[in-house]
Each structure stands twice: as structure tokens, then as C-alpha cells.
Amino acid sequence: MYTASFAFFEALWQAGVTHCFVNLGSDHPSIIEAMVKGLKDGKGNFPKIITCPNEMVAMSMADGYARLSGKPQCVIVHVDVGTQGLGAAVHNASTGRAPVLVFAGLSPFTLEGEMRGSRTEYIHWIQDVPDQKLILGQYCRYAAEIKTGKNIKQMVNRALQFARSQPQGPVYLVGAREVMEEDITPYSLDQSLWEPVELGGLTKKASEAIADALVNAERPLLVTGYSGRNHEAPAALVELADTVKGLRVLDTGGSDMCFPASHPGWIGLRFGVEDAIKEADVIVILDCDVPWIPTQCKPKEGIKIFHIDVDPLKNLMPLAYVPAQHRYRADALNAVEQITDVAKRLVGDINPAVTSKKWEALRASYEARLARISEKAVPAEDGTFGTGHLCTMLRKLCPQDTIWAIEAVTNTQFVHDALRPELPGSWINCGGGGLGWSGGGALGIKLASAVMHGGKGKFVVQIVGDGTFLFSVPGSVYWISKRYQIPVLTIVLNNKGWNAPRKSMLLVHPEGLGSKATNEEINISFDPVPDFAGIAKAAAGGDLFAARVDKAEVLEDTIKRAIQAVEGGQSAVLDCKVTLGC
């Protein structure tokens, strides 16, 4: 028997999808049959199925896998309720440009046994909604219903074309039980006909204008966010910065490692507020959603601003614009290489003394920045420590090629400053505002790393705020970690509550009543403090390294033991009490 459901999985595999993260229900009888058939008959040509007890974790795993590998993965959930269970993870995949195909069943459309798959359970009436696609539609690059098994492979490949074309993102397919049960004649597609849309570079006029502006600027600045998703882009940006002496590079997205911290042009990660933005006389925005926040920080009037992006108009954002005189829809890597080629020709006309002065000023600024970071990363006299010191120790002790899965919210700047990521693909941040991504995200990243690099893959560390850790559904995350032997190190930044809401309040009401209120009074306190590591250990059936650290004197030894556990195949969770603001 060759059903639409089996053809669905076959289409996924033939299109390069290697994993399906599933949470099954009453809409999936033929899906389950196809899974069993694939397990028996697939002979290594069938997606690996990962059971996920929570939909958000499933979506986050697919998201993390896709972000590192660049290859879309699949999530299968249960009708409307499972679709809603995906929750904020769909927002994260959309804003974070992660290609993920979501499939959900529909309640059967027959109820008297007219077709195989007709209604057989009470819940089939309750879960029959007017238009299930609308639940996810506004977050997706494409949403459609599979109406017959006869073209199901075309529907899957069309969806994946959208997911893989820039700006990448989630897509959503739905299909009723009767459709997925349909017996069809086996068939195949020519996969070479289903490639994503390919973006080009800049026009000759554009690349010359941008290069000329950068080379002749006193304080040129490049602001980026997603360019590092292409692992060739950081080296291209380094070449540009080596050519245009004095060019500084600022990351205001934090989603990818876009520019190595060892380069003097590195400013680090700042969410739209940084003095370099105010000082610049030429700015290039490169694949970035929010280069600055005008109410807090904005460029000088009258300077040249160029915007290069795969989505310069931000089609899914009702309100989004920057005062750029020139906008280009182009591939970041191609654009940077073009600009660099032109800049190399132009720098010969610049006085070497001027170039040297810019370079020395840049180096001095860079050294001063590193000194300020180091000063903040020192433990207090009483032995307490901040996020900066904690992450300095992690950088020192973890393998050099560690991949960092970051969801540190208000501590993100301190994490980035201390870790100073260097290698392409070594830093992956949520990219969206749906807290809870990093639990499943870290597992997906680890899975992808094992496939990409062989063996156990690279060492993966999740760094997460305490409130965000709870959002990540740790009961599901660490059960999956244990079930499928996906060991990761989790660092919980325990500051006894959600500090982001207080920061947001103070930006609007700096002298308001809330500014003088306690965390308990504004309902952001975690007191009594949960046993974060204990929650994870319970979910793993006790097979997890768990520890709590609140003094610097025991931090190094505890991290070493946690690393040893993870390298031995056991996940580890360190609950680290950190002080605020450092």
C-alpha cells in the first residue's frame, strides 16, 4: 500500500529533509502507518523521527537544526490544538529566518464512513475549525492545504521552495485524514526543478557608490544581524574591514556569528543602542532588521546610509523603516565581495598617512573596549560573580570550537562580550521574542552538528535566563536529551526573576511608581527560587549532571565536571547565581 502519507515522507527525504520532530494525534493514523513502513522498508532513505512531548520544543529543535545546517527540517503536530501548541516557536522561526516545514492534520471531512479516514472519535467534531491555516498563516512564508495525494510531492516541494528562498522561514501544510489515507501510484519528481530562488548581488553603480563612501569616510560603520548565517560571510567582512581601514562592524541582531571578536573593527553585540551609530558618517546596513532604536540612539542627520538586505522593506513588519538614501535587495556575501573588490582599487588613491591614522585609532579603541569588558568580568570581594565572569570561565574551559546557543535576554550583551565568538556558526541566538527557544534549539543544533561533523558533533552550550529556562519546557527538553542521547551543557543565569519587564518599564516610566517597587510588587520575582537543575534531572530520569553555583571559588571546578559529564554523553545543567549589570 502506497499512501499519500508515505509519499509525503518520501518527498521530504528526497528534498533533503532528514529529521521529523513529531507530536502525534488522532489525525495521524496514516502518518503512523507510513512511519512504521518507512522504518521497515526505508533502508536508510527515510527521515529520522524524534518524539517530542511538547510542540514548542519540537519546533525549536527543527529551528536550531535548520539554522546551523541551512537545511529545512519538518515538524508534525496535531490539528488546531497542536498547531497552537507551537506557540512562540513559530514567531522565532519567522523572525529568525529559520526554514522549517510544519505539517498538521485536519479533522476528517466525512462522518458516515464514506472514505477511509472518516470520523471515528468524539474529538473530531470539537477540533473542526473554520480555517486552521489562519492560526499560523501570518508568520509563514507559505501556508496551504493538501487536497489530494496525487500532487502531494509537488505541494511539499513548493512549500520547501518558499522555506528555502530568502528571507527564509517557516511554511505550513495541512491535510485531512481522508486525503492522507489516499492510495496513489508511486511517483518521483526531478528535484533539480525545485531549487529555491537565487538572489544576485549589487549593480556596478551601487557597489562603486558604497565602496567610495566607505573608503572616504572618517568613521565608517557596518551594521549587520543575519549575514553570518552564510558561514562564508564573516571572512568576507574581515576582508572588507582589512581593506577599508577604520571600518567598524556592529551586530544588532545577535542571531549569528557575523564578525570575529579578534578583529579591531569588532564592536560587539548591542541591541540598537551604541555610540558608534551616533558617531558614524557613513553607515551600511547589511541583512539586519533593527539597526538602531530612534528613541534611544540614531545616526547624525545628513550622513550617507545604504541598506542591503534580502528583505529591505521588511514585508512582515507593518511599521519598519530607516532613513537610507539607497536600498538594495541582494545577497549579503555577493554584495560584500563586490564592495571589497571596488574598495581595493580605490584605497590606492588615499594618503597612506590618513589610512594609518585611522587604523591606529581603531586599534586603540578596540583595546580600550576589551579592557572595559575585562574590568566588569571580575568577581566581587564576597565571592559573588556576574554573567561576564561566568562566561569568561566558560570561554576558557569549553572546547575552542564550542557552539553557543544563547537566550540570555538582558544579559546577552555581557555573554557576547565575554565569549567573543570567533568561528562561523559558533554563536546562534533566538532571533525572535518568543522566550523558550534555546532548550529545543540547543538539542537541534547538537543533532545537526553530529550529522555535519560526524561522531558526537561539536560541544554545545545553552546559556539561558532563569525565567526563559522555564519557558523552554525543560520537562520535555531533558527527556528528549536522555531518550535520544543528545548531551548538551545548560547554564542557567539565575538572577531570581524576569528583569526584562523592569527594563521596559523604566524606559517609559523612569520615575514612575514601578521604579521604586520591588520585584515582588511588579510581579517579576522568582522567590522562592526553583531548583532549575533539579527540574532537568527529574525529566531525564535522574541521569543528568546537576549543580548549583553561587561563589566564584567553586565555579571553575564545577564547570570542568559538567564539561566532563557532557563529553561522556550525559547532559548537564548548572544553576548559576549571577549579580546584575556585569
Side-chain angles (χ1 to χ4, degrees):
M1 187 167 63
Y2 187 88
T3 64
S5 287
F6 191 80
F8 171 80
F9 285 109
E10 206 171 57
L12 290 174
W13 180 262
Q14 290 166 354
V17 176
T18 57
H19 289 72
C20 292
F21 304 91
V22 307
N23 190 293
L24 303 172
S26 63
D27 48 334
H28 296 138
S30 64
I31 291 286
I32 294 171
E33 286 286 306
M35 287 178 180
V36 176
K37 177 179 172 64
L39 184 64
K40 291 183 176 181
D41 304 335
K43 298 177 181 178
N45 296 313
F46 197 85
K48 181 176 176 60
I49 308 300
I50 305 290
T51 300
C52 297
N54 177 271
E55 293 90 348
M56 180 167 180
V57 176
M59 186 77 182
S60 298
M61 286 188 72
D63 177 314
Y65 192 112
R67 291 199 202 199
L68 180 65
S69 69
K71 297 180 179 179
Q73 301 303 309
C74 179
V75 174
I76 298 177
V77 294
H78 172 47
V79 293
D80 64 322
V81 289
T83 298
Q84 292 178 73
L86 296 167
V90 179
H91 158 91
N92 292 335
S94 182
T95 58
R97 306 184 184 184
V100 177
L101 188 151
V102 179
F103 173 81
L106 295 172
S107 281
F109 53 74
T110 59
L111 57 82
E112 296 186 21
E114 299 95 328
M115 302 174 71
R116 192 170 74 217
S118 284
R119 295 185 183 184
T120 54
E121 300 171 56
Y122 168 87
I123 203 68
H124 291 153
W125 278 260
I126 307 303
Q127 293 172 340
D128 189 8
V129 296
D131 192 344
Q132 188 173 303
K133 298 191 304 298
L134 291 179
I135 299 172
L136 293 194
Q138 66 177 323
Y139 296 98
C140 292
R141 307 300 186 259
Y142 174 76
E145 180 181 348
I146 298 168
K147 297 182 178 180
T148 174
K150 293 178 176 61
N151 70 350
I152 192 167
K153 289 190 175 183
Q154 289 89 335
M155 292 295 288
V156 168
N157 276 275
R158 175 165 166 77
L160 289 172
Q161 273 189 316
F162 276 96
R164 295 168 61 204
S165 296
Q166 297 292 352
Q168 295 185 338
V171 293
Y172 185 48
L173 291 176
V174 297
R177 288 211 314 187
E178 295 92 334
V179 172
M180 301 307 291
E181 289 279 359
E182 182 184 353
D183 292 324
I184 63 173
T185 302
Y187 73 104
S188 297
L189 299 179
D190 181 350
Q191 292 300 140
S192 69
L193 304 179
W194 296 93
E195 289 299 306
V197 175
E198 186 174 343
L199 280 179
L202 300 167
T203 64
K204 182 174 181 290
K205 177 183 176 182
S207 58
E208 289 177 346
I210 297 170
D212 181 73
L214 289 174
V215 167
N216 288 288
E218 288 294 323
R219 300 187 69 83
L221 175 67
L222 188 144
V223 184
T224 190
Y226 295 100
S227 60
R229 189 70 54 87
N230 183 333
H231 294 177
E232 295 180 31
L237 279 177
V238 167
E239 188 176 2
L240 176 61
D242 285 343
T243 303
V244 180
K245 303 297 185 184
L247 177 65
R248 292 169 293 174
V249 179
L250 172 66
D251 187 340
T252 70
S255 292
D256 300 275
M257 201 300 288
C258 297
F259 193 74
S262 58
H263 194 282
W266 177 80
I267 299 179
L269 167 62
R270 300 291 184 269
F271 288 112
V273 180
E274 162 61 39
D275 287 343
I277 295 169
K278 302 176 184 178
E279 299 166 355
D281 54 352
V282 171
I283 298 179
V284 175
I285 303 168
L286 181 71
D287 258 359
C288 179
D289 285 343
V290 188
W292 52 79
I293 302 168
T295 57
Q296 309 298 315
C297 172
K298 60 183 179 180
K300 295 182 292 187
E301 293 288 337
I303 70 167
K304 291 181 179 179
I305 300 176
F306 303 88
H307 188 184
I308 307 166
D309 206 304
V310 298
D311 180 25
L313 296 181
K314 307 301 168 190
N315 292 338
L316 294 182
M317 297 181 185
L319 178 64
Y321 55 86
V322 292
Q325 295 93 345
H326 307 279
R327 293 175 180 81
Y328 313 95
R329 191 185 304 275
D331 173 74
L333 177 61
N334 285 341
V336 170
E337 289 175 340
Q338 289 176 294
I339 295 166
T340 303
D341 287 344
V342 178
K344 286 179 177 178
R345 298 199 306 267
L346 297 178
V347 291
D349 298 330
I350 304 297
N351 186 331
V354 173
T355 302
S356 178
K357 183 179 179 181
K358 287 182 182 179
W359 184 250
E360 291 306 317
L362 186 72
R363 289 192 63 84
S365 174
Y366 173 71
E367 295 297 335
R369 181 178 295 275
L370 294 185
R372 291 194 298 271
I373 292 170
S374 297
E375 287 171 6
K376 287 185 176 182
V378 177
E381 291 183 1
D382 63 359
T384 58
F385 57 89
T387 299
H389 176 70
L390 167 60
C391 291
T392 299
M393 294 301 299
L394 288 169
R395 180 170 177 255
K396 170 186 172 183
L397 299 172
C398 290
Q400 189 175 6
D401 61 350
T402 292
I403 301 175
W404 310 95
I406 307 299
E407 199 172 19
V409 197
T410 53
N411 278 305
T412 303
Q413 175 181 317
F414 303 118
V415 174
H416 194 271
D417 281 352
L419 293 180
R420 299 174 204 166
E422 282 287 313
L423 301 176
S426 64
W427 168 285
I428 303 176
N429 197 359
C430 175
L435 299 182
W437 165 86
S438 60
L443 297 184
I445 290 166
K446 180 66 175 180
L447 268 181
S449 176
V451 172
M452 294 167 65
H453 304 288
K456 298 179 180 179
K458 293 187 177 182
F459 196 82
V460 174
V461 179
Q462 172 198 9
I463 301 180
V464 60
D466 48 6
T468 305
F469 178 82
L470 296 178
F471 276 128
S472 72
V473 198
S476 179
V477 168
Y478 295 98
W479 178 86
I480 295 170
S481 172
K482 170 61 179 174
R483 164 79 179 269
Y484 295 101
Q485 296 299 296
I486 312 172
V488 297
L489 170 59
T490 297
I491 305 296
V492 181
L493 305 177
N494 184 348
N495 51 24
K496 297 180 66 175
W498 290 308
N499 283 291
R502 176 179 288 280
K503 181 180 178 182
S504 298
M505 174 196 66
L506 292 174
L507 286 171
V508 180
H509 301 288
E511 304 296 331
L513 294 174
S515 67
K516 302 172 182 64
T518 64
N519 282 357
E520 287 76 14
E521 289 172 326
I522 62 174
N523 302 296
I524 62 171
S525 169
F526 286 162
D527 197 3
V529 178
D531 181 1
F532 298 109
I535 292 170
K537 188 167 186 172
D543 188 9
L544 180 140
F545 180 92
R548 179 178 291 179
V549 183
D550 58 8
K551 295 295 182 182
E553 61 192 34
V554 297
L555 180 61
E556 180 170 352
D557 180 65
T558 307
I559 292 174
K560 285 180 178 178
R561 289 189 290 124
I563 292 172
Q564 185 177 17
V566 174
E567 289 180 331
Q570 181 185 55
S571 280
V573 177
L574 299 187
D575 176 356
C576 300
K577 183 179 179 182
V578 294
T579 53
L580 295 175
C582 61

